[in-house]
Amino acid sequence: QVRLVESGGGLVQAGESLTLSCTASLSHFSFNSMAWYRQDPGKQRGFVAGITMGGIPTYGDSVKGRFTVSRDYAKKTMYLQMKSLKPEDTAVYYCAADLNVLGVGSRPAYWGQGTQVTVSS
């Protein structure tokens, strides 16, 4: 059974940085793509950033230039480094994985439980 476990969420002030981690129960080679999504209460879950098995990253427009996604295959962990955080980045951040490349509009096969990120102004 696939398990994705996120960590690293918390409360920060605007302009600060935070790094999220997602550790998988299986080798990353089991997935072609892993990604981060986020969801505000009352809103749909939206794509934040993704990375393929080959290490090619993609980003949502609202986080380009501020967020960096990476993978450590040995640790079976994906990271999301978030800089220059804004109050509008406040959301529950979810880790996702799939055999297909993930992006906007994708429906990942596997999800983590989510981690809360709150950015105060």
Side-chain angles (χ1 to χ4, degrees), residues 19-22 36 68-72 75 77-81:
T19 298
L20 305 182
S21 300
C22 171
W36 292 97
T68 302
V69 62
S70 61
R71 295 170 79 160
D72 185 325
K75 295 182 178 179
T77 299
M78 175 179 63
Y79 303 97
L80 184 67
Q81 185 180 26

Side-chain angles (χ1 to χ4, degrees), residues 33-102:
S33 177
M34 297 185 72
W36 292 97
Y37 291 77
R38 66 186 182 187
Q39 186 171 22
D40 282 342
K43 295 185 179 179
Q44 288 189 332
R45 199 169 293 187
F47 177 78
V48 176
I51 187 165
T52 66
M53 188 174 70
I56 299 173
T58 55
Y59 299 95
D61 289 340
S62 63
V63 305
K64 284 180 181 177
R66 298 188 299 122
F67 290 11
T68 302
V69 62
S70 61
R71 295 170 79 160
D72 185 325
Y73 293 95
K75 295 182 178 179
K76 297 186 290 184
T77 299
M78 175 179 63
Y79 303 97
L80 184 67
Q81 185 180 26
M82 305 182 291
K83 296 181 178 179
S84 301
L85 282 162
K86 305 175 182 180
E88 50 263 45
D89 294 317
T90 295
V92 177
Y93 284 70
Y94 295 90
C95 173
D98 201 280
L99 294 176
N100 299 308
V101 176
L102 295 174

